[in-house]
Amino acid sequence: MKSKIGVVCLARKTFDFKAAEEIFKSKVEELKKIDYVDFKIYDELVIDVEDLERVYENIKEIDGLIIISGTFHLGHLAISLQKKYKVPILLWAFNELPYDGGKIRLNSVCGLNLNASNLYKSGVDNFHYVIGERVDEDWLKAINMKKAISDSKIGILGNRAHGFFNLSVDELNLFGNSGTIVDYYQLNELYDLAKNADEKVYEEEISKVYEVSSISKEQLKKVSKLTYALKKFLDEKKLAGVAIRCWPEFAGDYGISPCAAMSYLQAKGYITGCEGDLEGTLSMIAAKAASNKTPFLADLSQVDLEKDETLLWHCGVAPANLWDGKSNRSLDTYFAGGKGVTADFVLKEGEITILRIDSARGKTRVFAEKGKAFEMEKLLKGTYAKVKFEKPVKDVLDRLITNGIAHHVAMVYGDYYRTYKIFAKIMNWQFLG
């Protein structure tokens, strides 16, 4: 899913607009090499208010707008563009050129300052800025996050898990804040799809991905059928993700828990959240949009204050493609009285960032932290990574607990902390980082 980003370059003929035009052309060529957004570029300089009509004819619906101050320019231009498009804005100024005859040639930064002041004083807060040779790609990724959640329809299968009151969400407030639509479905819909599924479609492939000697043939058959059913359900309902009430009744009613099927499908690009956690599922969608990588919805578990590390763990639902390549990647029945059928493996090493979109007391917050996952032995059931955060784990935990953040976070590999911070500002949500 690519966001559409408009690009315009403003200038004034009292400055070296020809030089600005040459720089702009070179930047356009650089932008075209970025493949995760769709740029809508007006390739002429915008100098007068009358020029804006041609901009509007060429650039239609967009998700974000880059306003380049090629030189200093009229103050009318940026606020008119904001009024027309009403989307998040990136203000971009070029570095000043060497003086030519004792005259400032671009005065680009001053133009950016003018635009920022005009926007702020008119009540617009969702702008960001960059000064220099390159566009701010963290802003581009943040726009992808906004588009992903605003275009999302998320399903809840069976409501939240029993007693997890903190996962409840005001759906209309969420829609008003983000554009996300939520629909509820009954678990029986999934069970019925699974009963009529051909288990052979996925049975062989699942047996290749996981070591399955610890589960029965009947359990493997149920995993395969459920994998088929869950994929069909997501595809037919056209859902960006689904939050599943995976306990307490799922294993009893269907015969196994959905963890293994969720682990397999997430590695194929599907988003499935545990325990009916809608905002956790939304966090996964947003994290994937920022990174184009597979997210893992985890508990912040087994915190060791002395070693300053924690375990990002869940009972066995991590995407199979996050496996460390060393531990035994298997399916196990330790959970739900032998009916669990969860995935078991250690996650790979590497830089990670966690994200949680979380609402409370009428506010939506964005919690984020970055760190590193380290090698560890497979000593536990479930799926997990040993993590050391950039900040002391005591401080991370304190920030989570004192702000009442729910107990699931979306983890992806890579550093997206700054992207998440920009995303929070774009959305006008509180950033807890």
Side-chain angles (χ1 to χ4, degrees):
M1 183 182 295
K2 294 183 180 182
S3 55
K4 296 177 181 178
I5 306 293
V7 182
V8 296
C9 185
L10 314 183
R12 190 164 175 79
K13 290 186 177 180
T14 51
F15 292 90
D16 193 346
F17 68 99
K18 292 292 186 182
E21 187 173 34
E22 289 304 310
I23 298 171
F24 174 50
K25 288 179 179 178
S26 69
K27 299 308 169 190
V28 165
E29 294 307 310
E30 291 174 11
L31 291 177
K32 289 178 179 178
K33 296 176 183 177
I34 299 173
D35 61 2
Y36 55 84
V37 294
D38 182 9
F39 289 106
K40 305 296 181 182
I41 300 168
Y42 183 72
D43 54 12
E44 297 179 22
L45 296 181
V46 178
I47 295 174
D48 297 312
V49 174
E50 290 74 19
D51 296 336
L52 293 175
E53 290 303 319
R54 290 191 293 277
V55 174
Y56 303 153
E57 290 172 6
N58 284 270
I59 300 177
K60 303 297 183 181
E61 294 184 5
I62 51 176
D63 303 298
L65 177 64
I66 298 174
I67 299 178
I68 300 173
S69 294
T71 71
F72 191 78
H73 46 74
L74 288 175
H76 302 66
L77 300 175
I79 57 174
S80 297
L81 287 162
Q82 192 280 328
K83 182 179 179 181
K84 170 68 176 179
Y85 292 111
K86 294 182 176 62
V87 294
I89 290 172
L90 175 66
L91 302 175
W92 183 3
F94 298 145
N95 292 325
E96 188 56 61
L97 296 175
Y99 301 143
D100 183 7
K103 184 178 179 181
I104 292 179
R105 296 173 64 187
L106 300 180
N107 208 19
S108 180
V109 173
C110 190
L112 184 154
N113 192 170
L114 169 70
N115 291 337
S117 180
N118 283 339
L119 291 170
Y120 182 88
K121 291 184 178 183
S122 62
V124 177
D125 293 319
N126 63 348
F127 66 87
H128 184 64
Y129 77 93
V130 62
I131 299 170
E133 296 300 316
R134 294 183 59 81
V135 70
D136 191 334
E137 292 199 46
D138 286 326
W139 181 84
L140 296 177
K141 293 169 185 174
I143 297 296
N144 274 355
M145 294 174 72
K146 182 179 186 300
K147 178 176 175 58
I149 65 172
S150 66
D151 287 354
S152 289
K153 178 184 175 185
I154 301 178
I156 297 184
L157 263 167
N159 215 318
R160 57 168 172 75
H162 184 64
F164 284 7
F165 306 108
N166 63 326
L167 303 184
S168 301
V169 174
D170 182 337
E171 298 151 29
L172 289 178
N173 185 62
L174 177 65
F175 174 74
N177 282 338
S178 68
T180 303
I181 292 177
V182 180
D183 266 336
Y184 283 79
Y185 305 92
Q186 298 303 313
L187 287 171
N188 284 338
E189 292 187 54
L190 189 61
Y191 302 157
D192 291 344
L193 281 174
K195 287 175 185 175
N196 298 319
D198 180 0
E199 69 273 11
K200 294 180 181 178
V201 174
Y202 287 105
E203 196 170 296
E204 184 178 349
E205 178 62 24
I206 289 168
S207 299
K208 290 178 180 177
V209 173
Y210 308 93
E211 201 276 307
V212 297
S213 63
S214 295
I215 65 173
S216 69
K217 290 183 178 180
E218 182 61 27
Q219 287 171 326
L220 178 58
K221 183 186 296 186
K222 284 185 175 293
V223 173
S224 179
K225 283 177 170 287
L226 189 59
T227 300
Y228 175 90
L230 188 52
K231 180 182 183 300
K232 184 178 178 66
F233 179 84
L234 284 158
D235 289 342
E236 289 186 350
K237 304 296 184 185
K238 295 181 171 33
L239 298 175
V242 62
I244 303 173
R245 181 179 165 105
C246 47
W247 67 270
E249 60 276 287
F250 202 109
D253 292 346
Y254 179 67
I256 61 167
S257 67
C259 305
M262 294 166 70
S263 171
Y264 177 83
L265 282 178
Q266 287 184 102
K268 302 298 183 182
Y270 290 86
I271 299 291
T272 62
C274 305
E275 296 164 331
D277 185 359
L278 174 63
E279 288 182 323
T281 305
L282 189 67
S283 301
M284 295 169 77
I285 291 169
K288 182 179 179 182
S291 63
N292 197 29
K293 295 175 183 176
T294 307
F296 166 42
L297 192 65
D299 292 342
L300 193 70
S301 180
Q302 300 185 37
V303 173
D304 190 323
L305 297 179
E306 290 187 6
K307 293 183 178 179
D308 191 30
E309 63 188 29
T310 189
L311 206 65
L312 289 181
W313 173 93
H314 226 150
C315 54
V317 74
N321 59 326
L322 301 186
W323 173 50
D324 66 355
K326 302 172 186 176
S327 58
N328 181 28
R329 187 172 56 182
S330 59
L331 299 184
D332 200 281
T333 61
Y334 84 99
F335 182 67
K339 294 183 177 180
V341 189
T342 62
D344 283 358
F345 58 85
V346 178
L347 276 67
K348 62 186 179 180
E349 299 176 79
E351 193 173 33
I352 62 100
T353 315
I354 60 173
L355 170 72
R356 173 76 196 191
I357 299 171
D358 195 86
S359 57
R361 301 182 181 182
K363 295 181 179 179
T364 303
R365 296 85 55 79
V366 175
F367 176 89
E369 192 52 73
K370 60 181 176 178
K372 187 175 181 181
F374 292 91
E375 181 179 5
M376 69 176 295
E377 292 183 58
K378 185 182 178 183
L379 301 172
L380 297 165
K381 300 294 185 181
T383 48
Y384 43 89
K386 181 172 69 175
V387 169
K388 188 178 183 68
F389 291 117
E390 189 172 85
K391 299 185 182 73
V393 69
K394 183 179 182 298
D395 295 347
V396 176
L397 193 63
D398 183 68
R399 203 180 336 132
L400 274 168
I401 292 172
T402 57
N403 288 287
I405 302 297
H407 57 286
H408 295 151
V409 294
M411 183 198 94
V412 291
Y413 284 88
D415 180 1
Y416 298 95
Y417 182 86
R418 185 170 177 271
T419 300
Y420 296 162
K421 187 174 183 179
I422 295 170
F423 167 71
K425 183 181 180 184
I426 286 172
M427 300 300 297
N428 197 28
W429 292 347
Q430 181 183 9
F431 183 71
L432 299 173

